[in-house]
Amino acid sequence: MKIYIDGKYYDKADAKVSVFDHGLLYGDGIFEGIRIYNGKVFRLKEHIERFYESAKAIILEILMTKEEMKAAVEDAVKVNERKDGYIRLMVTRGEGSLGLDPASCKKATVIIIVSDIQLYPKEYYEKGIALVTVTSRRIPSECLDPRIKSLNYLNNIMAKLEAKQAGCLEAVMLNTQGFVAECTADNIFIVKEGRLLTPSVYHGALEGITRQTVMEIAEKIGIKSEETTLAPYDLYTADECFLTGTGAEIVPVVKIDGRVIGSGVPGKVTKMLVENFKKYALS
Ligand code: PMP
């Protein structure tokens, strides 16, 4: 494995950043998770756009153009000779002093890791997963816009720990008003009377690239989708439910908080979207 740091490649054991990097000291930085399917980087343009918008939102200057960043990501895939896999692209505020003022950081650190992807075990794609609603809430969008894909994931990590303690692989995270926001690393959708519904960004959802892709695929195959307000009630009474994410792709959900969703098996619409997503990703 060759890891890109600021224009150079390092073996895994030598790929290191300073302990004074504000990415480590404060979680001051941003990231993207991107898939490689069949030798092609999936929706790279969209990931780069979101990445640079996150950077702009936190006043983080990346000393590379979008084109240069795209080329660096593609080069890292080539260097690692990957046909399928996962890319973790990161920019941290860089090395600075112990104070939190980013002014002490002279240059942002750019890191690209090309690796395997850890999906949920295969059986869950066939049978569906169980979710639990946890007490850790999504950070309100008035405090930190959920569109910023920052290196601060502590409350999502807390939610993940709660889910695991409850024997589940993923958690439903609510916003501070009690509406559904998303999961710890995935967006959530329900199917109700043939339509797809997903929480809007204003309720605390990340603008997921897979979420967007699924809505585009749905439109193409004649399924309407809507970003809306969802309460736990809407999840419990949904016909179908599924999660979307770069790593997870589309995962059917069959149980939430011990309640059976729909008929308790992956639904028709979910299966149709999974099939079409596979075709699209491999095309
Ligand atoms: N929500 C959160 C909190 C995430 O970290 C992610 C990415 N793993 C997603 C949703 C899904 O977004 P994407 O489809 O762009 O991977």
Side-chain angles (χ1 to χ4, degrees):
M1 183 192 282
K2 295 282 180 198
I3 294 159
Y4 173 108
I5 306 176
D6 289 336
K8 290 196 188 121
Y9 286 98
Y10 300 86
D11 288 330
K12 189 177 170 190
D14 302 319
K16 292 173 181 161
V17 292
S18 165
V19 293
F20 290 95
D21 193 305
H22 281 209
L24 174 68
L25 288 174
Y26 298 112
D28 187 355
I30 52 163
F31 77 100
E32 282 296 320
I34 313 170
R35 283 295 282 273
I36 314 156
Y37 291 109
N38 236 348
K40 230 174 71 191
V41 183
F42 187 68
R43 299 222 131 178
L44 181 55
K45 184 172 172 288
E46 287 83 351
H47 280 286
I48 296 287
E49 284 300 325
R50 183 171 70 180
F51 194 56
Y52 275 75
E53 282 181 5
S54 286
K56 196 164 184 189
I58 68 163
I59 320 176
L60 173 61
E61 195 190 356
I62 303 173
L63 299 172
M64 286 167 82
T65 64
K66 288 180 193 173
E67 284 312 310
E68 286 167 344
M69 191 62 79
K70 259 181 95 181
V73 169
E74 276 166 343
D75 189 65
V77 172
K78 231 184 249 158
V79 166
N80 283 280
E81 296 174 358
R82 279 269 172 187
K83 274 207 147 313
D84 291 283
Y86 177 85
I87 305 161
R88 176 56 59 92
L89 170 62
M90 256 178 287
V91 174
T92 72
R93 190 75 68 174
E95 188 178 333
S97 68
L98 286 178
L100 62 79
D101 186 353
S104 71
C105 307
K106 295 297 169 238
K107 198 173 122 328
T109 309
V110 181
I111 302 166
I112 306 171
I113 304 169
V114 182
S115 184
D116 291 323
I117 178 65
Q118 206 175 347
L119 297 166
Y120 293 112
K122 194 166 175 274
E123 66 193 88
Y124 292 104
Y125 289 89
E126 287 150 16
K127 294 190 187 141
I129 65 165
L131 306 178
V132 61
T133 306
V134 294
T135 62
S136 299
R137 301 278 173 117
R138 188 75 165 108
I139 296 173
S141 51
E142 308 89 284
C143 299
L144 187 67
D145 197 296
R147 284 171 289 194
I148 300 169
K149 200 161 162 56
S150 87
L151 294 178
N152 269 283
Y153 259 56
L154 198 51
N155 68 324
N156 292 43
I157 291 165
M158 299 298 291
K160 184 84 173 178
L161 289 172
E162 283 189 66
K164 288 190 82 177
Q165 275 170 343
C168 292
L169 294 178
E170 247 299 13
V172 175
M173 294 183 79
L174 306 178
N175 63 20
T176 49
Q177 283 118 44
F179 293 112
V180 177
E182 58 176 349
C183 294
T184 68
D186 304 308
N187 290 113
I188 189 164
F189 281 86
I190 61 164
V191 180
K192 190 74 183 172
E193 288 159 8
R195 277 188 321 149
L196 296 188
L197 304 174
T198 193
S200 77
V201 165
Y202 305 100
H203 288 300
L206 177 82
E207 261 182 334
I209 307 274
T210 322
R211 171 181 180 268
Q212 183 59 34
T213 308
V214 163
M215 289 195 282
E216 287 171 21
I217 289 172
E219 197 185 346
K220 273 195 200 131
I221 60 175
I223 299 168
K224 287 203 165 53
S225 55
E226 195 186 323
E227 295 174 60
T228 186
T229 306
L230 294 179
Y233 171 92
D234 298 300
L235 302 187
Y236 300 151
T237 58
D239 300 328
E240 299 178 31
C241 179
F242 62 87
L243 308 182
T244 64
T246 291
E249 299 175 315
I250 301 173
V251 197
V253 174
V254 291
K255 225 179 214 188
I256 303 177
D257 301 334
R259 298 166 191 245
V260 173
I261 305 304
S263 51
V265 290
K268 206 172 74 197
V269 175
T270 307
K271 282 184 176 165
M272 209 151 76
L273 290 167
V274 168
E275 281 315 305
N276 280 279
F277 182 84
K278 275 189 198 152
K279 271 192 229 155
Y280 178 80
L282 297 173
S283 66

